Structure formats: C-alpha cells, structure tokens
Amino acid sequence: MNLQDLLDQIHDEVAAYYGQGRVADYIPALAEVPPRQFGMAITTLDGRHYRCGDAAVPFSIQSISKAFMLALTLEADGDSLWSHVGKEPSGNPFNSLVQLEYEDGVPRNPFINAGALVVTDRAISHFEDAHGALLTRLRQESGNATLCGNARVAESERAHGHRNAALAHFMKSYDNLDNEVETVLQQYFNSCSITMNCVELANAGLFLANHGITRDGLQSLSRSQAKQINAVMLTCGTYDAAGEFAYRVGLPVKSGVGGGMLAIIPGKMSIAVWSPELDSKGNSVLGLEALDRFTTRTGLSIF
C-alpha cells in the first residue's frame, strides 16, 4: 500500500470527527489552540518520510515528553528505576491521588503524573538539569536544533498545577522523591511544555522502533530497555484508555493533552499524529480514529 495515499485518505476521513471532543481547557494556554486541526507524519527505519495535513504545525507535546524522559532516565538509572515506580496500568485518572495513597507513595506506572514526577526526580539526580538533558536529546533525534519549551505554557501549568504539587509532596513524605519538590515540579512542567510538530515527533521517536539505536547510530538503550518502554506505552501510555487503544490500534502509543500521539511499530517506523480535540479520557479524538484506520488497512500492528 502507498503510505502517502493512505495518509491522504485518512486526513479526509477523520474530518467527520471534528466537534466530538474539546481542547484541554484546564490549562489556559492550551485552551486557545484552534480545534479544527489534524496532522500526521511517519518516519521509517529505511529513511522514508510521509506527512499530511497540519504535520508542520507546532504543538505542546505535554505527556508525550514522559516517554522520552523515561528513556533518558532508564538509560542512566538502569533497573533500579523500577524500585521507585511500577509498570502496571492504573485504571484511574492520570492525576489521581487515591491509588498513590494506598500504595505507599509508589506510583503505578511512569506515565501517570505521579510516576512522571518520580522519573523526573531520578533524572534530576543524574543530570541536575533534567529538562535540559531531555531537550538536548530531542534536538538530536528530531533534527531540529532550536527545539525548545514554551514558557507561557509552562507557567500556565505551574499556576494551575495544585494537584501535581499535592502528588509530589505526598511522594516526598514517603521518601520517594530525592530532590526539592519545587525543582521537580518546575522541570516537569518545563518538559511538558516542549513544542514540536508531527514530523519532528516522528523523527524523535524512531529510536524506539529501532530497538534503542539513536539517529547517529549509538545504542542509547539496550534492546531490552527499548522493549520495556514500548510495553509500558502499550499498557499505560493513553491514560485509562489503554485497553481501547490496544484493541483498536494494536501499537505502543503515548498521548498528551496537547492532542499529540506517538505510536511505534518496532522494527519498522514511528508515527506521530496531532489534533487538539480530546475525548473524556484526555486522548485526541481524531488521533485515535487515524491510528485505528492506519493499522487496520495496513495490517501493521504488534498483534
């Protein structure tokens, strides 16, 4: 199948789903994003690139940054990371306090907010400036040397981040954060505010399809560690809708409330999708429809 023709078809078909979601208005800076936008990009291991729609429009990657921060931290921390955060689906909203309380301050997985805060804390212990280390890696992998965060988005999240602050303080009370809470929160917000487009995001995610080998040919993660990240993306990467994504898409996916999604086909390609209207679980409405159509028509899934 011609992948460019398929992307063009998907672009036309998913337009019927505009208006079935809403932008993430609980973060004021994201509430201003025009909703009727859709982009999709593919980067393959053999160097081919495909794109459609608004694939060159920059957006806030939000929780997609958690997958890249996890990779950076796992590379530095090794298996000891998993004594601080679990690998299981939560079945609860991504910012839930309840589960954290009865599990003694150890988050269920690295993609809920509590888990991402722990991963950021571990990264700070290794790199001091975890956000800076993440930006350096994303610039290398995306091909955009000027990639940066959006200070206005980061400040908007900080000003309305009371639940995240509560999560961090709670974990600190269980000695599951080593660094100062305010430092962890600020670096977490800064990383969530990173702005990319679909083409850059697909490029940046390709190392997960390439078993941990980066753009310059270095083995940054072991093959096993890349497998681990892809596995956690499959089971935990789309908040508490991971079962729906596994059922309909059949790929490791990490989503963000900016409307972006990164999907990985190990050994083949990386796919980035963006459309800012979200469903009730916090995932892009058009993004799910696009990925469902892509894997159904190509037969490219891990199942």
Side-chain angles (χ1 to χ4, degrees):
M1 180 175 292
N2 184 298
L3 291 183
Q4 186 58 57
D5 288 346
L6 176 58
L7 290 194
D8 292 338
Q9 292 171 21
I10 290 172
H11 174 268
D12 293 341
E13 291 172 10
V14 298
Y17 291 85
Y18 282 130
Q20 295 191 19
R22 55 188 298 178
V23 298
D25 53 8
Y26 69 94
I27 301 174
L30 298 184
E32 301 169 4
V33 177
R36 295 178 66 88
Q37 300 183 82
F38 171 82
M40 190 168 183
I42 295 172
T43 301
T44 67
L45 287 185
D46 58 3
R48 289 174 292 165
H49 301 268
Y50 306 91
R51 57 190 278 188
C52 69
D54 300 308
V57 176
F59 60 91
S60 181
I61 67 170
Q62 291 294 310
S63 287
I64 301 173
S65 67
K66 296 173 183 176
F68 295 107
M69 187 67 85
L70 175 60
L72 197 69
T73 308
L74 188 59
E75 179 183 344
D77 220 15
D79 285 345
S80 65
L81 174 63
W82 302 117
S83 65
H84 299 272
V85 62
K87 316 178 192 75
E88 299 297 331
S90 70
N92 286 307
F94 57 85
N95 59 356
S96 173
L97 279 159
V98 176
Q99 194 168 60
L100 191 62
E101 183 168 9
Y102 65 72
E103 294 184 347
D104 298 329
V106 177
R108 185 66 70 89
N109 68 69
F111 294 148
I112 55 176
N113 288 12
L117 288 166
V118 167
V119 172
T120 300
D121 175 69
R122 299 298 302 159
I124 292 169
S125 294
H126 286 286
F127 304 105
E128 188 172 345
D129 181 5
H131 171 64
L134 178 62
L135 265 182
T136 297
R137 178 62 60 86
L138 286 175
R139 286 168 178 167
Q140 292 168 344
E141 297 304 301
S142 70
N144 179 358
T146 64
L147 208 68
C148 62
N150 184 314
R152 184 164 173 266
V153 172
E155 175 56 27
S156 182
E157 293 195 61
R158 188 202 63 77
H160 295 81
H162 306 302
R163 181 67 67 92
N164 286 318
L167 291 167
H169 281 290
F170 190 83
M171 291 186 294
K172 184 75 169 176
S173 75
Y174 277 95
D175 296 323
N176 202 20
L177 289 185
D178 292 331
N179 298 282
E180 293 300 318
V181 166
E182 287 305 317
T183 301
V184 175
L185 287 169
Q186 193 58 61
Q187 296 211 21
Y188 171 76
F189 294 140
N190 287 346
S191 296
C192 286
S193 78
I194 292 171
T195 298
M196 302 178 75
N197 62 39
C198 287
V199 175
E200 294 163 348
L201 184 58
N203 289 342
L206 194 63
F207 78 104
L208 289 173
N210 200 21
H211 310 299
I213 299 175
T214 61
R215 184 185 178 111
D216 56 7
L218 296 177
Q219 188 86 49
S220 67
L221 294 171
S222 70
R223 191 181 184 98
S224 178
Q225 288 171 329
K227 178 194 72 176
Q228 291 168 8
I229 293 174
N230 283 326
V232 179
M233 285 174 64
L234 176 70
T235 58
C236 310
T238 49
Y239 310 120
D240 50 337
E244 180 76 3
F245 272 78
Y247 178 79
R248 292 184 58 184
V249 177
L251 295 176
V253 179
K254 184 70 198 84
S255 62
V257 295
M261 292 181 179
L262 173 65
I264 303 298
I265 305 181
K268 295 186 180 297
M269 65 185 68
S270 171
I271 307 168
V273 191
W274 171 65
S275 187
E277 292 184 328
L278 309 179
D279 60 21
S280 62
K281 305 294 187 182
N283 298 305
S284 172
V285 173
L286 273 68
L288 172 56
E289 294 297 332
L291 290 174
D292 184 357
R293 283 164 171 73
F294 181 85
T295 57
T296 298
R297 295 180 190 174
T298 62
L300 294 173
S301 82
I302 63 171
F303 300 112

